[in-house]
Amino acid sequence: MRAAVVSKLEGPESIEVLDMPEPAAYPGGVVIEVHAAGIAFPDVLMTRGQYQMKPQLPYIVGCEVAGIVREAPEGTHVVAGDRVVALTLLGNAAAELAVTPAEMVFKLPDNVSLEAGAGVLFNDLTVHFCLTKRGRLAPGETVLVHGAAGGIGTSTLRMAKALGAGRVIAVVSTEEKAEVARANGATDVVLTDGWLAAVKELTGGRGVDIVLDPVGGDRFTDSIRSLASAGRVLVVGFTAGDIPTVKVNRLLLKNVEVIGAAWGEWVMSHPGYLTEQWAEVAPLLANGDIAPPEPVLYSLAHTAEAVSALDKRTATGKVVVTLR
């Protein structure tokens, strides 16, 4: 089979498309003919050995797929021919065939294309976890998201209202990205230059209830300043590169919180949580309350460029590699 492979930890440019042996089926594993593979920021870090989990070299890029079941264990919730999405753990996604445990595989609603499906699990379930489990989103609250034109950002814009938000404010760096944010459902859009003052004006000085921050860097302190009383900053990642620090007296003075939101760790330490999430999110996708993502598509031959787009922060929306 053809696959996008990392053989040396030299960044996205080192990704090669090679012929690899097909993965062997194993007890409890579902064999999937991969039509599309999702790419996320951890894939960038993995190509440099900078992610907390490190697959053994050589490894296949990507951790989420959408495709058609070729083979499934008897009695499993999916059967041959089903359209599915799945997580593939560490790598093993951007290949023509994947095998992953049955508990990581979910039927895809008929109204969601396989290309869009490859962009659902990692980002949408991260956002669902952030807003519901960690952020404790209450009906009508205001959510602000940084990096709003990226994968996590557009997922937040698509999902927040369906999960109860009354208002969703997008922070972006350019007017082009502002259009992406509006197309994905932002109530309001502000540019990074002067964003705090703009948000204060939009909210009549009150501030926001939740900040979802996959960016980090030097805007973190202003994120705390942007909160209303009892507001929460959700720490999701650090695409800006710098890991910020916080003076905890700011939390005390405003009665606010900074909350870690590591979806992957929660999934690994809470068996069954993925299934719980999909039971909530899949109906919202099926009935249109949550619009499917509109991913940016790259062919398998251009997987290196797909991962580089996230590395350079030029990607808008979810990045997906197509294989069929």
Side-chain angles (χ1 to χ4, degrees), residues 119-285:
V120 166
L121 284 183
F122 195 93
N123 287 350
D124 284 9
L125 297 192
T126 292
V127 170
H128 177 269
F129 167 73
C130 289
L131 293 181
T132 61
K133 182 68 71 174
R134 301 299 289 146
R136 310 183 307 276
L137 175 65
E141 287 192 318
T142 297
V143 174
L144 179 145
V145 58
H146 290 295
I152 292 292
T154 53
S155 179
T156 303
L157 298 175
R158 291 172 33 250
M159 295 182 66
K161 289 184 180 179
L163 298 177
R167 188 178 197 178
V168 191
I169 301 174
V171 181
V172 296
S173 58
T174 67
E175 288 292 348
E176 177 190 7
K177 291 181 177 180
E179 290 305 312
V180 173
R182 293 186 185 98
N184 279 275
T187 309
D188 304 278
V189 182
V190 298
L191 296 178
T192 50
D193 186 17
W195 74 268
L196 178 59
V199 167
K200 288 290 189 180
E201 183 177 353
L202 282 172
T203 60
R206 176 184 178 274
V208 302
D209 300 293
I210 292 176
V211 173
L212 196 149
D213 183 11
V215 177
D218 57 9
R219 72 183 69 178
F220 190 77
T221 298
D222 278 348
S223 290
I224 296 173
R225 292 184 175 123
S226 76
L227 293 174
S229 180
R232 292 84 75 197
V233 174
L234 304 177
V235 180
V236 185
F238 313 103
T239 59
D242 295 329
I243 299 176
T245 57
V246 57
K247 293 183 177 180
V248 296
N249 65 309
R250 297 185 185 277
L251 312 184
L252 173 65
L253 292 173
K254 291 193 65 178
N255 284 301
V256 296
E257 302 171 61
V258 173
I259 302 172
W263 170 70
E265 187 280 332
W266 193 272
V267 166
M268 298 304 292
S269 60
H270 293 74
Y273 181 64
L274 268 180
T275 301
E276 294 175 22
Q277 283 194 289
W278 192 246
E280 294 183 26
V281 172
L284 297 174
L285 286 164

Side-chain angles (χ1 to χ4, degrees), residues 53-75:
M53 294 179 284
K54 297 174 173 59
Q56 183 176 348
L57 295 174
Y59 74 87
I60 295 170
V61 175
C63 298
E64 58 183 329
V65 300
I68 307 297
V69 174
R70 173 185 288 186
E71 179 184 341
E74 187 175 351

